[in-house]
Amino acid sequence: MKEYKLFCICGLIVGVVLLFYILSPYSPTCLLRSCTYKHYDGLADFLYAARSIKGNNYVMNYTKDNKSSVSVLVFVHIQKTAGTLVERRLVKDGLVGKTCHCFGRKRCNCQNPDGNTWLVSRYSTGWLCGLHADLTELNECIDNKLNKIDRRIVQRNYIYFTMLRDPINRFISEWLHIRRGATWQSATLRCHKQSPPLQHYKPCYFINENDMNSTIWSNVSLKSFIDCPYNLANNRQTRMLANLSNLNCYKHLTKWSQPLNITMITSMSSIHLTLLNSAKHNLINVIHCYGLSEYLIYSQYILQKCLHITFKRAFIEFNQIAYIKQRLLFTHATIIRTNLHQSILYDIENVNRLDIFLYNFAKQLFLYRLINYVLYDSNIPIHFKRPIHTLWHSYQFKSLNSLHYLLFSNLINAYNSTIINNNNSNGTIPVSETVLINENNKWNNRLLYDFSD
């Protein structure tokens, strides 16, 4: 009799523990309403991402901004990072419930019914703070510019977002763009509301042409492009995301652009380290979310979740995924990269060392956020989330390679349409038993490969 009572008590305890686990927001089978994200239509209901730092994990928590009456999306357009594609999807193709009224080919009016601008981008407001304005320029000028456009002074909550790209491919792509005659010579590069003096910055086409009236650098060789000490392409992503106003503006540009033949951050000088840390800080605390041009499907998914918007047109059409993947593998930059001599690649890496460190950090943060969204997305099947949940909670401090493989391999292709469409259906997508067995075998084989001793 005592054994029977003890057995019942143990069973009751186990049942209570299982019930709490099922209802826990950390469970992939979470049944609580708080596990799903609500959809907000009004601009006043935009949620901004408040990051909480715990150890090395950067997880996004959502809090409602009650301080500002108007929320404004601000796109930081870094050259050659698929920024034009994102801006076209934002403005030309439009968002669900947030349309822009276009006139002409390159300009659209993106204002809410109250007459307040809700989007700052190339195709809406134009280059409001200068051609390809960086985060420093935008912070200093955007409020006054919008006051003039909207003809009113209101308190605004600026929601910055951007796109990043592999530094080597981005650098080669910018070199190809410069060779075609583009120099972005009209960029103001303002810091403390002033452009840099000549002793701090001289355009590379002035140096090489010995002509202060020259504004082109056509057909420049890759070697000359790398060797220019004032080349803004060097570590461009780090510099454009850093707070230059606290770093003496462009005074240290030549030092930021000089080659760094190092592999460890600890070997970096204080001048380089402060720039890199400033960019990392802003990527976490100022940039609400960002995408990676190498992963456009997941970038759209994160932007929609973070900004609470829905694109009318996908970044990549579902029936063109296989074609686009081939295009991403064989872009002009990647083709040239595969044919470059190893010594030239080393030179490119050295002049973009800060960008490489930043991009490696950004990829990890991107992966953390993607996992966080996927695990709590009720539109994604539970049988797909389960292996991600297992890896995330069991092996996140041992290896991220398996999670990267899990999310960015071909195994997710079957659910790309779900992620793109961001539909509102509840529950799981029914699949055949054969598909489930094959998937489980793939997961088991991968786990054995990654974590076997």
Side-chain angles (χ1 to χ4, degrees):
M1 192 68 176
K2 292 182 179 180
E3 293 179 355
Y4 178 75
K5 289 183 178 180
L6 182 62
F7 178 78
C8 291
I9 293 173
C10 292
L12 181 62
I13 294 174
V14 171
V16 171
V17 171
L18 287 176
L19 180 62
F20 273 102
Y21 175 74
I22 292 173
L23 296 178
S24 169
Y26 296 100
S27 169
T29 59
C30 175
L31 302 178
L32 292 180
R33 184 172 297 180
S34 61
C35 295
T36 59
Y37 296 113
K38 297 180 181 179
H39 180 73
Y40 295 86
D41 291 325
L43 284 173
D45 288 327
F46 268 121
L47 302 183
Y48 72 93
R51 284 76 174 175
S52 62
I53 302 176
K54 183 179 180 181
N56 292 325
N57 297 334
Y58 298 92
V59 182
M60 298 176 66
N61 296 325
Y62 289 90
T63 56
K64 194 169 183 178
D65 182 19
N66 295 317
K67 297 179 181 179
S68 301
S69 57
V70 178
S71 292
V72 183
L73 295 177
V74 182
F75 183 65
V76 183
H77 190 160
I78 302 173
Q79 287 94 320
K80 314 310 293 182
T81 58
T84 300
L85 170 67
V86 175
E87 289 183 315
R88 283 175 179 165
R89 294 293 185 268
L90 280 167
V91 179
K92 300 295 185 179
D93 300 311
L95 306 176
V96 175
K98 300 177 181 66
T99 56
C100 297
H101 302 285
C102 299
F103 47 93
R105 295 181 58 187
K106 292 188 176 182
R107 195 61 59 84
C108 299
N109 183 17
C110 299
Q111 292 183 330
N112 60 21
D114 295 330
N116 295 314
T117 299
W118 61 267
L119 174 64
V120 174
S121 70
R122 173 186 180 183
Y123 293 122
S124 56
T125 57
W127 300 112
L128 193 65
C129 295
L131 179 63
H132 286 286
D134 57 24
L135 199 57
T136 302
E137 288 183 279
L138 288 168
N139 277 328
E140 291 181 354
C141 94
I142 190 170
D143 214 36
N144 291 332
K145 292 288 187 178
L146 285 183
N147 287 340
K148 293 180 181 179
I149 291 176
D150 296 339
R151 298 180 180 179
R152 68 189 72 185
I153 298 176
V154 295
Q155 190 175 5
R156 299 181 179 89
N157 172 41
Y158 295 108
I159 303 174
Y160 292 97
F161 63 107
T162 189
M163 291 289 292
L164 300 176
R165 185 181 179 184
D166 175 83
I168 309 303
N169 291 339
R170 198 214 64 80
F171 183 85
I172 295 174
S173 182
E174 181 165 341
W175 167 63
L176 293 173
H177 196 67
I178 296 295
R179 277 179 61 86
R180 295 192 292 267
T183 56
W184 298 294
Q185 67 268 14
S186 59
T188 56
L189 306 177
R190 288 192 181 94
C191 178
H192 292 313
K193 300 182 179 180
Q194 293 181 347
S195 297
L198 284 177
Q199 61 264 32
H200 293 166
Y201 169 66
K202 297 176 184 177
C204 292
Y205 44 83
F206 288 174
I207 297 174
N208 286 271
E209 299 292 338
N210 294 319
D211 181 7
M212 296 301 288
N213 294 319
S214 174
T215 58
I216 60 173
W217 203 12
S218 300
N219 300 318
V220 59
S221 67
L222 183 55
K223 185 68 168 60
S224 299
F225 191 70
I226 295 172
D227 290 341
C228 177
Y230 296 97
N231 193 351
L232 295 174
N234 298 355
N235 297 313
R236 179 182 287 280
Q237 296 177 102
T238 305
R239 190 187 66 255
M240 290 186 68
L241 294 180
N243 185 2
L244 301 185
S245 59
N246 292 337
L247 300 173
N248 293 320
C249 296
Y250 287 86
K251 180 180 180 180
H252 302 298
L253 176 63
T254 54
K255 294 182 179 179
W256 293 336
S257 303
Q258 69 184 14
L260 290 178
N261 188 13
I262 60 174
T263 57
M264 301 290 292
I265 293 181
T266 53
S267 305
M268 196 179 297
S269 67
S270 59
I271 290 178
H272 296 100
L273 190 59
T274 51
L275 181 71
L276 178 61
N277 286 340
S278 178
K280 285 183 178 180
H281 172 83
N282 288 340
L283 197 64
I284 299 170
N285 298 287
V286 179
I287 301 295
H288 284 66
C289 50
Y290 60 90
L292 303 179
S293 62
E294 287 79 13
Y295 308 110
L296 289 176
I297 291 176
Y298 304 103
S299 297
Q300 178 179 350
Y301 177 73
I302 283 184
L303 291 179
Q304 291 188 156
K305 286 289 186 179
C306 172
L307 304 177
H308 285 268
I309 59 176
T310 302
F311 292 93
K312 289 183 179 179
R313 183 181 175 188
F315 288 3
I316 298 178
E317 302 296 343
F318 184 57
N319 58 358
Q320 295 180 347
I321 287 178
Y323 168 74
I324 295 296
K325 282 189 174 182
Q326 292 297 318
R327 288 293 305 274
L328 290 175
L329 291 174
F330 298 103
T331 61
H332 291 152
T334 53
I335 292 173
I336 290 176
R337 180 175 181 172
T338 56
N339 290 281
L340 288 177
H341 192 272
Q342 194 63 38
S343 61
I344 299 294
L345 283 176
Y346 283 146
D347 292 339
I348 296 176
E349 290 176 2
N350 289 338
V351 296
N352 289 280
R353 188 63 61 186
L354 299 182
D355 267 11
I356 292 174
F357 283 127
L358 178 68
Y359 189 73
N360 290 336
F361 172 81
K363 281 200 298 185
Q364 281 196 333
L365 181 58
F366 184 85
L367 183 61
Y368 290 151
R369 291 176 176 175
L370 180 59
I371 291 169
N372 187 52
Y373 283 127
V374 168
L375 288 181
Y376 297 114
D377 192 338
S378 60
N379 296 322
I380 297 178
I382 292 177
H383 74 267
F384 171 69
K385 293 191 284 186
R386 188 172 291 114
I388 300 176
H389 179 274
T390 302
L391 289 175
W392 176 242
H393 286 281
S394 301
Y395 299 103
Q396 61 173 315
F397 297 109
K398 183 175 181 180
S399 173
L400 285 173
N401 293 333
S402 54
L403 281 167
H404 189 277
Y405 173 85
L406 207 60
L407 285 167
F408 300 120
S409 68
N410 292 329
L411 297 177
I412 199 174
N413 281 348
Y415 308 108
N416 276 332
S417 60
T418 303
I419 288 178
I420 291 175
N421 294 331
N422 195 25
N423 57 59
N424 296 320
S425 60
N426 294 321
T428 61
I429 299 176
V431 294
S432 66
E433 186 177 355
T434 304
V435 172
L436 286 176
I437 293 174
N438 291 336
E439 278 196 359
N440 287 331
N441 289 336
K442 290 178 181 178
W443 300 134
N444 291 334
N445 293 335
R446 190 65 198 181
L447 288 172
L448 288 174
Y449 177 80
D450 282 337
F451 303 112
S452 59
D453 294 328

